Amino acid sequence: GENVEQHPSTLSVQEGDSAVIKCTYSDSASNYFPWYKQELGKRPQLIIDIRSNVGEKKDQRIAVTLNKTAKHFSLHITETQPEDSAVYFCAARRTGTASKLTFGTGTRLQVTL
Amino acid sequence: DTAVSQTPKYLVTQMGNDKSIKCEQNLGHDTMYWYKQDSKKFLKIMFSYNNKELIINETVPNRFSPKSPDKAHLNLHINSLELGDSAVYFCASSHNRDPSLNSPLHFGNGTRLTVT
């Protein structure tokens, strides 16, 4: 089955700096890669997602890049703000009869003033 | 107006008891899921139902039994609760059985289960 590794497990940045979270996946047939943000005590919420036929996608201060050859994808947050502090999860999905999202282990991002 | 709602929000119970968590979605989605998030925040899929049909059943003890009376509801019943069952359980739904750009996963607010 799919295995998704995520690094780092914790990340502390100063407000205004950029943050990068990286994930690798094992199944070369995976073709959909969403990112979820989970604030303390709340539910995971989709913040951005990308298909395997696209190398990069941006939405304001967040962007995701995908390298299919290397089987890794990254989340980039620019001009970080305190409200970006949360746990971020990457995920990968392979289309199939019972396709499912496999999540990474999460990155706790702390944006300090 | 919560799209995926689950009850209760908190559940504290003793070992050996049987408990249920209920989930309802008003998004008109065909597929619903149960995920377990442990103390280390790992999110693992347990079950998935598509139009009331079980399509994903991960290696979950058979003490856990999902039930989907209709495509808008997916309940989780747990028998003989154990300490290791303590976790946050998230219900989720997607438009169809294939999570994608057109069918992203929507999570409920979670049920924090504590087994003492």
Side-chain angles (χ1 to χ4, degrees), chain B residues 86-102:
Chain B
S86 296
V88 180
Y89 291 85
F90 284 99
C91 178
S93 73
S94 63
H95 180 64
N96 59 44
R97 64 194 298 162
D98 201 11
S100 67
L101 277 172
N102 298 321

Side-chain angles (χ1 to χ4, degrees), chain A residues 53-73:
Chain A
N53 59 350
V54 175
E56 184 176 0
K57 185 176 179 180
K58 286 184 180 179
D59 183 3
Q60 299 182 336
R61 294 186 298 108
I62 59 172
V64 57
T65 58
L66 170 66
N67 183 328
K68 280 180 60 180
T69 305
K71 289 190 285 187
H72 67 68
F73 56 114

Side-chain angles (χ1 to χ4, degrees), chain B residues 2 10 16 21 23-24 28 40 53 65 76 79-80 85 99-100 107 113:
Chain B
T2 307
Y10 301 99
I21 307 171
C23 180
E24 175 182 3
K40 294 184 178 179
E53 176 193 355
S65 53
L76 183 65
N79 289 327
S80 305
D85 297 332
S100 67
F107 285 91
L113 171 65

Side-chain angles (χ1 to χ4, degrees), chain A residues 14-88:
Chain A
Q14 283 199 318
E15 184 179 7
D17 287 349
S18 295
V20 181
I21 302 170
K22 298 182 179 182
C23 288
T24 59
Y25 60 98
S26 60
D27 190 343
S28 56
S30 287
N31 56 7
Y32 171 62
F33 307 93
W35 286 87
Y36 282 80
K37 175 184 180 183
Q38 186 178 25
E39 296 177 3
L40 188 61
K42 297 195 175 179
R43 60 190 171 98
Q45 288 191 281
L46 179 70
I47 54 172
I48 194 167
D49 52 8
I50 193 170
R51 272 199 195 118
S52 58
N53 59 350
V54 175
E56 184 176 0
K57 185 176 179 180
K58 286 184 180 179
D59 183 3
Q60 299 182 336
R61 294 186 298 108
I62 59 172
V64 57
T65 58
L66 170 66
N67 183 328
K68 280 180 60 180
T69 305
K71 289 190 285 187
H72 67 68
F73 56 114
S74 302
L75 178 71
H76 304 253
I77 307 174
T78 57
E79 300 171 27
T80 53
Q81 300 167 5
E83 51 265 39
D84 294 330
S85 296
V87 178
Y88 290 81

